[in-house]
Amino acid sequence: MSPTSTMPISTSTNTGQNTKNLYTKDQFASKQLIVCYDTDAIIVQNVILAFNHLLENYPQWSNHIALVLFVVANETLPTRNVYFYPNLDREIRDTVEGLAVVKIALSTSLDSVDDTIPTLVGSHAQCSNQIAVDTSDYKQIAIMLNNSLTTQPLNTSVLFNAYKNTQKRLFLFDYDGTLTPIVSNPADAQPTPTLLNYLNDLCKDPSNTVWIISGRDQVFLDTYLGKIPRLGLSAEHGSFMKKAGLNDWTDMLKDADMSWKDIALKIFEKYTNCNPGTVIEQKKSSITWHYRNAKNTQEAEKQSELCHQELIKIPGVDILVGKMNLEVRSLLVNKGEVVKRIKQKQKSDFIMCVGDDQTDEDMFNALKDDDKAFCVSVGPLSKITSAKYCVEHSEDVVNIIGQLVSNNSTL
């Protein structure tokens, strides 16, 4: 074998789910997986050494990643979070399918790699981003693995240091699931006094520009956040915007054709009538079917797939599959467009953008080429996202804001 081989690396975008082998899947549910296949025992040994080196030198990964080796079990090296499988049968492939996966293979032939990886995890796409490494250098492999794990736990020390050393800062926060936890009744997701105090203090700093970019309507945002001075608000995913210090909202869809809403409403009404407990929420730019409180949630989830197939036939709209909901929105507005508008009018040397669901991916994508941006996804590290960093809970976001503004902060 040549001392230099090719390590193709890619991240899965498969969002399918499978109920087989649940015990093993639960072991992986909150982790990013590094999935490796190779028949050469020396290379496999180096991968294990590299994985251990990764955990030792990048401790933020300790509880967040696992190495899955499709080889004959090798017990000659001390390991943690390493799982061996002797074959590639369908049940094992189902175990990792639908999770965030970094796939690696070390081989003398690109052809053999391309043949192996698609069978490794079922319908996952072939690997890309081919990187040549010396397979005898496990430390180099560890560096490559760290770089390939695109979403990392947020290093608050790095964040705080960047905050301290910048003067033109921009904060972009989603609301539900980001500043408050997701709840069954959306009306109950009111900001806590602690959150309001932290936001107020963050906005007081003249070096900070703060926006809440939410799917909520204007009334909700005005009622609960409108009294905070110097806080910008964006409602209904960018359909309405209100700059800090102004009383009136700007309608971004004033002259848009919204006839598609009648079509979407009829489709949603049909599925609402068949699924007691589900409700329809109408906004200016979107219409959403919520089935979180359906009497039969399992049946409602099945019905949502049929509903989705009808919705995608409507021209001029975007369909979002949310957390127990389906949303139809105009293609003319989204959170990413809001971020672009804000950035055009303000030069910043620090950006923190935080969100938790699919609508927030538009914000992350709008900032993907900005090296000053800390894009943070709220949720498990295994979640597939364009954000570079993640925190697990909305409470973590609130605590970070508190540390930024606190006089007792370690900044």
Side-chain angles (χ1 to χ4, degrees):
M1 174 168 289
S2 167
T4 301
S5 296
T6 301
M7 178 186 288
I9 298 177
S10 73
T11 301
S12 164
T13 57
N14 190 314
T15 57
Q17 295 181 346
N18 198 290
T19 57
K20 298 173 70 176
N21 210 13
L22 288 177
Y23 175 75
T24 307
K25 194 176 182 72
D26 286 345
Q27 289 178 310
F28 300 149
S30 62
K31 294 180 173 64
Q32 282 199 51
L33 305 186
I34 299 172
V35 179
C36 177
Y37 171 84
D38 204 287
T39 57
D40 189 295
I42 295 177
I43 290 179
V44 170
Q45 179 170 300
N46 279 336
V47 171
I48 296 174
L49 284 170
F51 185 75
N52 287 335
H53 185 77
L54 177 70
L55 295 180
E56 291 170 3
N57 288 272
Y58 303 92
Q60 69 268 29
W61 289 116
S62 294
N63 298 316
H64 299 293
I65 58 174
L67 173 63
V68 177
L69 294 168
F70 288 89
V71 294
V72 177
N74 183 334
E75 299 178 355
T76 61
L77 292 170
T79 59
R80 50 182 170 145
N81 289 350
V82 178
Y83 302 84
F84 293 91
Y85 293 111
N87 53 51
L88 302 178
D89 64 44
R90 181 65 209 179
E91 187 170 359
I92 297 301
R93 293 201 300 269
D94 288 342
T95 298
V96 299
E97 198 164 13
L99 300 177
V101 176
V102 173
K103 295 166 289 184
I104 67 172
L106 307 177
S107 174
T108 56
S109 168
L110 277 179
D111 292 336
S112 64
V113 170
D114 290 341
D115 289 341
T116 299
I117 294 301
T119 63
L120 184 61
V121 279
S123 58
H124 289 311
Q126 292 186 5
C127 292
S128 58
N129 300 331
Q130 297 168 2
I131 304 172
V133 298
D134 182 351
T135 57
S136 65
D137 185 354
Y138 69 87
K139 293 182 181 179
Q140 179 70 13
I141 297 174
I143 293 173
M144 294 298 179
L145 291 178
N146 181 65
N147 292 340
S148 69
L149 293 163
T150 53
T151 304
Q152 305 184 11
L154 178 63
N155 187 325
T156 52
S157 296
V158 174
L159 176 75
F160 295 157
N161 187 62
Y163 179 90
K164 179 178 64 175
N165 292 295
T166 50
Q167 296 298 321
K168 295 180 179 179
R169 312 183 194 103
L170 175 62
F171 291 88
L172 308 164
F173 297 113
D174 170 48
Y175 182 76
D176 289 284
T178 299
L179 298 178
T180 61
I182 296 293
V183 294
S184 297
N185 181 10
D188 294 335
Q190 300 175 13
T192 64
T194 297
L195 172 61
L196 292 174
N197 288 335
Y198 287 165
L199 287 176
N200 189 70
D201 290 343
L202 192 68
C203 291
K204 280 182 180 178
D205 189 331
S207 296
N208 297 340
T209 298
V210 186
W211 281 82
I212 304 296
I213 304 176
S214 173
R216 292 281 187 163
D217 61 24
Q218 303 140 278
V219 174
F220 182 93
L221 295 181
D222 268 335
T223 300
Y224 294 106
L225 300 169
K227 295 180 181 179
I228 299 177
R230 301 188 68 251
L231 178 64
L233 299 173
S234 173
E236 297 191 25
H237 306 304
S239 298
F240 300 91
M241 295 182 68
K242 186 169 75 168
K243 296 180 181 179
L246 299 182
N247 293 322
D248 297 326
W249 291 82
T250 300
D251 185 350
M252 309 303 293
L253 288 173
K254 183 178 180 181
D255 300 317
D257 178 9
M258 305 297 287
S259 59
W260 57 266
K261 288 185 68 178
D262 292 334
I263 303 173
L265 178 60
K266 290 181 180 178
I267 294 173
F268 280 152
E269 285 176 340
K270 179 175 70 173
Y271 286 93
T272 300
N273 293 335
C274 297
N275 294 275
T278 64
V279 296
I280 300 171
E281 178 187 15
Q282 294 195 60
K283 298 177 182 177
K284 174 67 184 291
S285 67
S286 65
I287 181 169
T288 306
W289 182 51
H290 296 275
Y291 53 90
R292 181 183 301 276
N293 295 321
K295 288 187 176 180
N296 187 336
T297 55
Q298 188 173 10
E299 178 61 25
E301 285 192 67
K302 292 180 181 179
Q303 292 287 316
S304 72
E305 297 176 5
L306 299 175
C307 182
H308 184 270
Q309 293 303 311
E310 293 191 49
L311 295 172
I312 60 177
K313 299 176 183 178
I314 304 175
V317 300
D318 190 16
I319 314 299
L320 298 178
V321 180
K323 298 174 181 178
M324 304 297 286
N325 66 65
L326 280 176
E327 179 177 355
V328 187
R329 66 178 183 179
S330 171
L331 283 174
L332 299 177
V333 294
N334 61 61
K335 291 185 177 183
E337 293 302 316
V338 175
V339 170
K340 291 176 184 178
R341 291 191 192 100
I342 295 171
K343 280 193 65 182
Q344 285 175 352
K345 297 182 179 180
Q346 175 182 333
K347 292 184 178 181
S348 305
D349 52 10
F350 172 97
I351 301 174
M352 183 179 184
C353 178
V354 192
D356 76 302
D357 66 15
Q358 190 62 38
T359 64
D360 302 312
E361 294 298 316
D362 293 325
M363 294 198 294
F364 301 149
N365 288 325
L367 296 168
K368 64 182 179 181
D369 297 325
D370 195 324
D371 57 6
K372 302 180 295 296
F374 289 83
C375 291
V376 184
S377 175
V378 182
L381 192 61
S382 59
K383 183 169 70 172
I384 298 170
T385 175
S386 298
K388 186 175 181 180
Y389 305 102
C390 80
V391 296
E392 288 197 47
H393 307 290
S394 59
E395 292 86 349
D396 298 324
V397 180
V398 176
N399 289 337
I400 289 170
I401 298 173
Q403 288 178 276
L404 289 172
V405 301
S406 173
N407 292 329
N408 297 322
S409 172
T410 57
L411 300 182

